[in-house]
Amino acid sequence: MNGFKQTWQRLPRAGRWLGVFLLFLALYFLVVEPGVDVYLKYAALGDVHRATLAKYAEAKDEVRRADDVVKLGVAHFGTVEFPGDYNQRTRELNTAIDGILATNGVEGYTGTTRTVAMGQGLLTKRLPEDSRVERLTRTIDFTGHPAAVAGVLADLEQTPVVSTISSVQLRQVEGRDGESGRLLNAIITIETWVTAKKGTSR
């Protein structure tokens, strides 16, 4: 240390100033400039987070309203299951329909089934690239008392395997006894969503 001090003292004034200048440059490029870069980086990141939080704060009322709408929809119409395997979903749908009709006192019905492709949308983007979504529709035709028909519709809406009720046709018919206890003929088209591999056909 004494040797460095003596060497420093023997330097001419210009040499000392040059040494101080070189030391300043070293400190600037090795300490100050990297520190400034880090500060600017985190400052910019902080601005981004602050802007994001501000956007969420502004949108909280809209998000709350959307959440209320979703909760109301689930309360009224029940949850909807994600598209499933064709064969399994067909069995589940038929079982659900048979159970609902029996629960509401409906005896006997006729039904037809068909499958059509679903267009591109948010749902199809959630599937693997080699899969597609199809709409499996089941149309049931039965006759029952108005309360029974209303019960069937309400139960179908609450059934997760039922994606939507796309059509309801009601027609008043006379009871067998011809008295005031009139019946309704109901034709209801129920839809569920199934998955299939692209390139396959049914």
Side-chain angles (χ1 to χ4, degrees):
M1 187 69 178
N2 290 332
F4 174 78
K5 183 176 181 181
Q6 292 174 359
T7 302
W8 177 260
Q9 290 176 347
R10 286 197 298 267
L11 286 175
R13 178 175 294 180
R16 293 179 187 177
W17 280 111
L18 178 61
V20 171
F21 178 70
L22 292 175
L23 180 61
F24 171 77
L25 288 179
L27 289 173
Y28 178 79
F29 286 109
L30 295 177
V31 179
V32 177
E33 187 167 317
V36 171
D37 290 340
V38 171
Y39 170 78
L40 292 177
K41 175 183 176 181
Y42 283 103
L45 189 60
D47 290 340
V48 171
H49 289 321
R50 188 161 43 250
T52 302
L53 291 174
K55 185 181 294 185
Y56 278 125
E58 293 173 359
K60 67 179 181 180
D61 291 337
E62 183 177 347
V63 172
R64 187 182 298 112
R65 286 194 297 271
D67 183 60
D68 291 341
V69 170
V70 170
K71 288 179 179 177
L72 183 62
V74 171
H76 284 194
F77 305 112
T79 58
V80 176
E81 291 186 356
F82 197 73
D85 174 73
Y86 176 87
N87 294 323
Q88 179 180 350
R89 186 55 54 87
T90 301
R91 289 192 297 269
E92 292 173 347
L93 182 62
N94 290 336
T95 300
I97 291 173
D98 290 341
I100 289 171
L101 292 174
T103 298
N104 288 279
V106 176
E107 298 179 358
Y109 75 95
T110 59
T112 57
T113 303
R114 69 189 184 99
T115 305
V116 296
M118 179 179 287
Q120 294 293 319
L122 293 176
L123 181 60
T124 57
K125 294 179 180 179
R126 295 281 303 276
L127 296 176
E129 292 184 359
D130 63 341
S131 299
R132 70 177 187 270
V133 181
E134 294 180 342
R135 296 163 53 198
L136 173 67
T137 61
R138 178 85 168 146
T139 300
I140 57 174
D141 186 335
F142 65 92
T143 299
H145 291 285
V149 174
V152 169
L153 286 170
D155 290 345
L156 288 172
E157 286 283 13
Q158 291 289 334
T159 303
V161 73
V162 175
S163 302
T164 183
I165 297 176
S166 55
S167 175
V168 177
Q169 300 177 42
L170 300 177
R171 181 173 58 88
Q172 192 174 41
V173 296
E174 292 287 343
R176 291 181 179 178
D177 54 8
E179 298 179 356
S180 58
R182 296 181 181 275
L183 302 176
L184 287 178
N185 173 247
I187 301 176
I188 305 173
T189 300
I190 305 146
E191 185 175 311
T192 190
W193 300 331
V194 298
T195 57
K197 294 294 184 182
K198 290 181 178 178
T200 61
S201 59
R202 303 195 189 285

